[in-house]
């Protein structure tokens, strides 16, 4: 899931991260990577705390579905949010019908997306930008806010994948910032398309459309599948998919990303705090402190929405030790 999730999320995270931190989008990616590295493994807990962890994990995974669906709509059907709802419904039906992405299919997708990303970076630095590159202005809030929006796209518990993912974010982010500058990038609703336009690469828009489809649709399918694994009744994933479809219509891609960031950080915070029941570790403390810090720089409405969703999700998640039905 790592490759397609990162590719699909970067299609909008470049703009939201630049809006939050300008050039410090790149520094925010490093902060997000530090947090992802420090996230502790979920501890063995009593049923009630374990259900809370499962509920936060459910919400964190489910929040990715409207994000990827709304990005699909923004790039391929501008001004038509219903297209995002269609994507969410299609992947929900596909998951309920038992469709799964085989390992070889994920490998092919990863290879295609890596080639596309490498091509974008090469083009970005091969052509001089239309406007001069400005020096970055450091703001601590921008650094942490940018880290918050990048975090839900990064893998955890796998240092090799994490290192590779951060390198991709830094390379693609630097290319987009170099071509558009932080202000133009921050104002873009479709940053990769606008970067190609700055490169006079509109001829590549059909290829970009293919990248959008090959990243967002599989990423949404894998996200709804991950949410299903946390449910006491797997068929309840259909209801979750309906909720995701509604969210895809109501939320713009940048709003969906902020909600996904709040959900992912809340999951980390709950996991880190509860892990201290079995023993306080440096990684657990760092994860909890960083999660709180990044959450503090997100608009409170998204944290409130996450809390409400977790409270509702606790009623439908599996108890600890209960196998999936």
């Amino acid at each position: 899931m790592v490759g397609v999730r990162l590719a699909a999320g970067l299609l909008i995270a470049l703009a939201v991260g630049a809006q939050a931190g300008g050039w410090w989008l790149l520094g925010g990616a490093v902060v997000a990577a530090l947090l992802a590295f420090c996230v502790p493994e979920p501890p063995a807990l009593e049923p009630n705390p374990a259900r809370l962890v499962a509920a936060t994990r459910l919400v964190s995974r489910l929040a990715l579905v409207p994000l990827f669906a709304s990005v699909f709509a923004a790039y391929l059907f501008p001004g038509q949010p219903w297209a995002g709802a269609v994507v969410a419904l299609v992947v929900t039906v596909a998951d309920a019908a038992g469709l799964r992405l085989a390992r070889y299919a994920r490998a092919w997708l990863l290879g295609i997306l890596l080639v596309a990303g490498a091509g974008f970076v090469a083009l970005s630095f091969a052509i001089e930008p239309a406007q001069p590159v400005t020096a970055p202005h450091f703001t601590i809030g921008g650094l942490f806010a940018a880290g918050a929006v990048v975090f839900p796209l990064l893998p955890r518990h796998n240092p090799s994948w994490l290192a590779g993912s951060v390198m991709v974010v830094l390379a693609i982010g630097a290319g987009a910032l170099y071509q558009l500058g932080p202000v133009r990038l921050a104002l873009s609703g479709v940053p990769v398309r606008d970067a190609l336009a700055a490169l006079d690469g509109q001829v590549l828009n059909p290829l970009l459309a293919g990248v959008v489809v090959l990243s967002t649709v599989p990423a949404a399918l894998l996200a709804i599948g991950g949410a299903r694994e946390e449910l006491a009744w797997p068929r309840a994933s259909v209801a979750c998919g309906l909720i995701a479809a509604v969210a895809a219509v109501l939320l713009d891609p940048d709003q969906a990303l902020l909600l996904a960031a709040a959900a992912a950080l809340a999951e980390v915070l709950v996991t880190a705090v509860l892990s201290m029941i079995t023993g306080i570790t440096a990684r657990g403390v760092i994860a909890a402190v960083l999660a709180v810090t990044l959450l503090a720089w997100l608009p409170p409405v998204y944290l409130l929405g996450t809390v409400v969703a977790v409270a509702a999700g606790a009623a439908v998640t599996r108890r600890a030790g209960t196998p999936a039905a």
Side-chain angles (χ1 to χ4, degrees), residues 149-217:
V149 299
V150 172
F151 177 73
L153 310 179
L154 298 180
R156 308 167 204 169
H157 312 305
N158 191 321
S160 298
W161 279 100
L162 176 59
S165 298
V166 173
M167 291 176 63
V168 169
V169 175
L170 292 177
I172 293 178
L177 284 164
Y178 178 71
Q179 273 302 320
L180 294 178
V183 175
R184 288 178 64 193
L185 183 59
L187 295 175
S188 174
V190 282
V192 177
R193 175 174 291 168
D194 289 344
L196 288 178
L199 292 164
D200 290 327
Q202 291 92 334
V203 69
L204 298 176
N205 280 341
L207 294 178
L208 174 60
V211 168
V212 171
V213 173
L214 290 177
S215 59
T216 57
V217 176

Side-chain angles (χ1 to χ4, degrees), residues 237-291:
S237 64
V238 175
C240 291
L242 293 175
I243 295 172
V246 173
V249 173
L250 297 178
L251 300 176
D252 293 332
D254 56 339
Q255 295 171 327
L257 178 58
L258 291 172
L259 179 61
L265 291 169
E267 177 195 352
V268 170
L269 178 59
V270 169
T271 302
V273 170
L274 291 180
S275 71
M276 296 180 192
I277 294 176
T278 57
I280 297 177
T281 63
R283 289 180 66 172
V285 171
I286 293 172
V289 171
L290 274 179

Side-chain angles (χ1 to χ4, degrees), residues 66-231:
L67 167 61
F68 301 141
S70 61
V71 168
F72 175 95
Y75 273 85
L76 300 183
F77 297 92
Q80 304 293 331
W82 57 264
V86 171
V87 171
L89 292 175
V90 167
V91 298
T92 298
V93 172
D95 178 76
L99 179 63
R100 306 290 182 264
L101 281 179
R103 188 171 183 177
Y104 74 87
R106 299 187 195 188
W108 273 103
L109 285 172
L110 178 60
I112 293 170
L113 295 173
L114 282 175
V115 170
F120 175 80
V121 173
L123 280 174
S124 297
F125 288 106
I127 300 175
E128 286 291 327
Q131 58 184 11
V133 180
T134 58
H137 298 284
F138 177 73
T139 59
I140 190 69
L143 177 69
F144 288 130
V149 299
V150 172
F151 177 73
L153 310 179
L154 298 180
R156 308 167 204 169
H157 312 305
N158 191 321
S160 298
W161 279 100
L162 176 59
S165 298
V166 173
M167 291 176 63
V168 169
V169 175
L170 292 177
I172 293 178
L177 284 164
Y178 178 71
Q179 273 302 320
L180 294 178
V183 175
R184 288 178 64 193
L185 183 59
L187 295 175
S188 174
V190 282
V192 177
R193 175 174 291 168
D194 289 344
L196 288 178
L199 292 164
D200 290 327
Q202 291 92 334
V203 69
L204 298 176
N205 280 341
L207 294 178
L208 174 60
V211 168
V212 171
V213 173
L214 290 177
S215 59
T216 57
V217 176
L221 177 62
L222 290 167
I224 195 69
R228 172 180 40 77
E229 293 175 359
E230 304 299 330
L231 296 169

